[in-house]
Amino acid sequence: NGSMATTENSERKIITGEAGYVLEDVPHFSDYISDLPTYPNPLQDNPSYSVVKQHFVDVDDSVAQNIVVHQDSPRGRHFRRVGPREKVYFESDDVHACIVTCGGLCPGLNTVIREIVCGLYYMYGVHKVLGIEGGYRGFYARNTIPLTPKIVNGIHKRGGTILGTSRGGHDTSKIVDSIQDRGINQVYVLGGDGTQKGASAIFEEIRRRGLKVAVAGIPKTIDNDIPIIDKSFGFDTAVEEAQRAISAAHVEAESFENGIGVVKLMGRYSGFIAMYATIASRDVDCCLIPESPFYLEGPGGLFEYIEKRLKENGHMVIVIAEGAGQELLSEIMHTMDQQDASGNKLLQDVGLWISQKIRDHFGKKRKMTINLKYIDPTYMIRAVPSNASDNVYCTLLAHSAIHGAMAGYTGFTVGPVNGRHAYIPFYRITERQNRVVITDRMWARLLSSTNQPSFLDPKKVKQSKEEGKLDTQLFNHAPKILNN
Ligand code: ATP
Ligand code: MG
C-alpha cells in the first residue's frame, strides 16, 4: 500500500496511513524469520465455522482506540483486529503449546486455561498442550502436566488455577532454554503487569535467538488496572462478589446503634472495584479510592461526614480500596519501603487503620457509642470461580490468543478495545496503569449516588478549571504510581 509507512525499532511497529490513521501493530514472525503464513487455516473445514458468514478476518482490519470522535479529530490509534486468518503460520501437527499462570489469583484463570486447550484441540486440531506448574519458575524448576480437553473439562467451575502460580523473580534465559529444549513453539502467558513485562522479555530473547516461538499474553488483573482494554477478566466477578461483603456490612451496621460497616476491597493503585461495587450496591455511604485523596478531621472531612450520616440515618457503610489514603498512613508507619517477592511495595492495611481512627475519634474525642464492624473479603473474592459474563469473556480472550499465535503474531497481548478484541503490543499495556479519573463522569456518578464529600477544595477546583489544568492540579496530591 503506497500510502502506508512502517516505522520499526526493536520494540515498536507503527504503521501510519492517510487521514491520521495510525496502527500500533504487534510483531509477526515475518518480521524476523521468514515469509508470510502459507498453510490454509484448518478452520476452513471445521463444521462449526463453516456457517460463519465471514469465515476469516481480513488481515488489515483494525480496531480504533477512540470511537467518540469530533468532526475534525484525526482517526487516531488503531490496533490489529483479532480473529482467524485465512492462512496460518503453523501446521497443526507441528504445534507444541504451553500455558503458564503467574502472579496473584483472579477469577477466570481456569476458564482461560480450559478454553486455550479446547480451542487448540477443536479449532486447530492441535493435540500437544503442556501446563507449566507454579508460574515462570515452573519452566525449569517444577513439573509440567499434559493438558487435554478431558483434563480441563470442568475446571472453569473451580476458583484458582489448576496449574498453580507464583510471584517473585525468574530467569528469562533459563525459560527460553527450557522452551527450546522441550520444542515448544507457542507460549500462552496468563498474568498481571509483572507477568506481561516478563513475557515481553521472553519474547525479546526468543526473537534475539531467531526462534519460531509465538508468545501470547493474556492480561490478568482483578483490579482492572490494565490500560487500553475495556476491562480485565475477573473484574465483573469481583464486583459481584464484593456485593456480598457490602451486604453483610450493611446488615451489621443497620442492626446496631450507630453501626458502621467498613469493607476493604482490592485496588492497590486503582479504585475500580470499590467504585463499581459501590455504584452497584447502593448500600454504601462513602467510597474511598487511591485516586481521590481524602482527609479525616475538620470541615468537609471524613469524620464530619460520618457524624452527619449517623445522625440522619443511624448507620453507615464505608468501602475503602486497599491503596486509598496511603499517604495518610505513611506518616505514622515505617514499613513503607518493604516489598513483596516480586518487588511490589507492601501496603499498610488501610482497613484496620481507618477502623481504629474512627473508633478513636468517636469513642474518645466525641464520646459517642459506635458499633464498627470491619470486613476484609479480599481472599474470598479472589478465590471464587468466574461468573457467567467473565466466562464468556475468558473464552473470547483464549480464542483470540490462539488465532493470533496460529497466524504468526507474537509478542502480543489480547483484549477488548471499545468492545472489539484486538492484538495489543506488550509495551502499551505495561507502560502505564489504568486508574479511575476523578474528573471523569463515572466518579461524578458515584459521588451523586453516595452523596459523600469529594474532599476537594471547591476554590481550587474552580481555579484549576479556569486555568484549564483540572486534571494535573487535582492529581498532584494523589499517590504516585509506586509499582514500577
Ligand atoms: P498481580 O500483581 O496482578 O498479582 P503480576 O503478574 O504483576 O500479577 P508479580 O508477582 O509482580 O505478579 O509477577 C509475576 C511474575 O512476573 C514473577 O515471576 C516475576 O518474576 C515476573 N515479573 C514481575 N515484574 C517483572 C518485570 N518488571 N520484568 C520481568 N518480569 C517480571
Ligand atoms: Mg502486579
Side-chain angles (χ1 to χ4, degrees):
N1 188 331
S3 64
M4 305 287 262
T6 307
T7 44
E8 209 179 326
N9 56 33
S10 69
E11 283 210 301
R12 293 169 195 226
K13 194 165 106 185
I14 294 179
I15 300 167
T16 42
E18 286 159 6
Y21 169 99
V22 176
L23 176 66
E24 271 196 80
D25 205 5
V26 295
H28 188 268
F29 285 138
S30 57
D31 299 339
Y32 73 95
I33 306 181
S34 56
D35 316 325
L36 294 167
T38 46
Y39 303 109
N41 192 323
L43 276 174
Q44 221 142 253
D45 312 313
N46 183 304
S48 327
Y49 268 80
S50 61
V51 294
V52 176
K53 205 162 129 208
Q54 191 197 357
H55 220 94
F56 297 110
V57 168
D58 188 315
V59 284
D60 290 326
D61 278 357
S62 66
V63 174
Q65 190 182 346
N66 286 331
I67 46 167
V68 180
V69 288
H70 190 260
Q71 56 183 1
D72 340 299
S73 51
R75 288 175 61 202
R77 304 255 144 191
H78 290 228
F79 300 104
R80 209 170 267 283
R81 184 182 174 191
V82 304
R85 307 304 204 236
E86 194 169 359
K87 290 277 181 349
V88 292
Y89 216 93
F90 292 95
E91 267 195 302
S92 300
D93 289 344
D94 295 339
V95 174
H96 188 189
C98 75
I99 308 174
V100 64
T101 53
C102 314
L105 293 183
C106 173
L109 286 167
N110 278 337
T111 313
V112 179
I113 296 170
R114 184 190 187 280
E115 297 311 321
I116 291 174
V117 175
C118 294
L120 281 168
Y121 262 72
Y122 299 135
M123 290 194 297
Y124 286 96
V126 168
H127 294 163
K128 275 192 290 183
V129 189
L130 201 62
I132 307 292
E133 289 189 330
Y136 275 140
R137 270 167 290 165
F139 272 103
Y140 48 88
R142 288 281 294 273
N143 293 331
T144 55
I145 35 172
L147 298 172
T148 62
K150 204 169 163 205
I151 288 175
V152 298
N153 189 32
I155 63 172
H156 59 296
K157 297 187 176 152
R158 275 188 264 159
T161 155
I162 58 156
L163 298 176
T165 181
S166 67
R167 317 200 69 171
H170 67 269
D171 185 329
T172 301
S173 73
K174 272 194 193 168
I175 289 176
V176 180
D177 291 347
S178 156
I179 288 169
Q180 255 184 305
D181 293 347
R182 295 172 199 271
I184 290 168
N185 51 20
Q186 291 186 2
V187 182
Y188 296 93
V189 184
L190 284 66
D193 53 340
T195 306
Q196 303 297 322
K197 283 177 198 154
S200 176
I202 292 169
F203 158 67
E204 289 298 342
E205 178 60 17
I206 283 171
R207 176 156 69 176
R208 201 185 60 78
R209 297 189 195 182
L211 306 175
K212 192 174 128 185
V213 177
V215 181
I218 290 110
K220 172 232 69 161
T221 148
I222 200 165
D223 295 352
N224 196 35
D225 56 3
I226 293 189
I228 312 292
I229 66 173
D230 298 342
K231 70 178 167 191
S232 50
F233 76 81
F235 174 71
D236 258 8
T237 306
V239 170
E240 202 167 292
E241 196 62 17
Q243 306 298 296
R244 287 149 54 92
I246 294 172
S247 287
H250 186 229
V251 169
E252 284 287 345
E254 244 183 349
S255 310
F256 292 88
E257 186 195 352
N258 287 336
I260 301 177
V262 175
V263 180
K264 184 180 80 173
L265 294 175
M266 292 86 85
R268 295 170 63 85
Y269 306 106
S270 309
F272 289 103
I273 294 180
M275 175 167 79
Y276 276 83
T278 295
I279 295 173
S281 114
R282 292 166 206 266
D283 284 338
V284 181
D285 299 283
C286 188
C287 172
L288 302 168
I289 59 168
E291 294 89 338
S292 176
F294 65 95
Y295 53 94
L296 303 175
E297 318 258 356
L302 182 65
F303 291 152
E304 186 189 81
Y305 176 62
I306 294 176
E307 196 165 331
K308 180 170 152 261
R309 289 302 290 157
L310 291 179
K311 283 206 177 106
E312 286 167 358
N313 230 12
H315 68 273
M316 82 177 295
V317 175
I318 299 170
V319 161
I320 186 160
E322 63 180 316
Q326 287 293 316
E327 71 284 2
L328 298 176
L329 273 82
S330 61
E331 290 163 14
I332 48 158
M333 304 283 190
H334 301 289
T335 47
M336 273 302 278
D337 292 331
Q338 285 181 11
Q339 295 181 337
D340 73 5
S342 295
N344 299 305
K345 221 169 218 332
L346 277 185
L347 303 182
Q348 294 302 325
D349 189 331
V350 73
L352 286 174
W353 171 82
I354 201 150
S355 299
Q356 197 51 47
K357 282 281 181 192
I358 294 170
R359 284 194 188 102
D360 288 350
H361 176 83
F362 288 98
K364 291 180 191 156
K365 266 200 193 152
R366 306 284 297 137
K367 306 277 184 237
M368 278 169 70
T369 311
I370 57 152
N371 279 290
L372 185 146
K373 309 281 162 54
Y374 170 48
I375 299 178
D376 178 357
T378 305
Y379 291 110
M380 302 199 62
I381 293 176
R382 285 155 59 114
V384 298
S386 46
N387 69 8
S389 81
D390 273 326
N391 274 334
V392 173
Y393 178 18
C394 289
T395 307
L396 259 76
L397 287 173
H399 284 198
S400 308
I402 294 171
H403 293 314
M406 288 301 297
Y409 294 108
T410 177
F412 68 83
T413 186
V414 289
V417 180
N418 294 315
R420 290 300 180 117
H421 284 240
Y423 298 126
I424 305 163
F426 279 132
Y427 64 84
R428 279 311 295 274
I429 64 154
T430 53
E431 68 193 0
R432 69 179 179 89
Q433 275 171 319
N434 190 25
R435 310 189 74 197
V436 173
V437 179
I438 59 169
T439 48
D440 270 1
R441 282 198 175 76
M442 206 59 187
W443 187 244
R445 286 181 190 117
L446 178 137
L447 294 180
S448 63
S449 130
T450 59
N451 247 327
Q452 71 191 64
S454 72
F455 302 106
L456 295 171
D457 182 348
K459 266 188 269 162
K460 213 167 168 185
V461 172
K462 191 161 172 274
Q463 193 195 339
S464 312
K465 225 173 179 167
E466 280 162 11
E467 290 166 9
K469 293 193 269 193
L470 193 58
D471 279 1
T472 44
Q473 295 228 341
L474 295 179
F475 282 114
N476 272 347
H477 25 227
K480 300 242 160 30
I481 294 182
L482 305 165
N483 207 11
N484 296 312

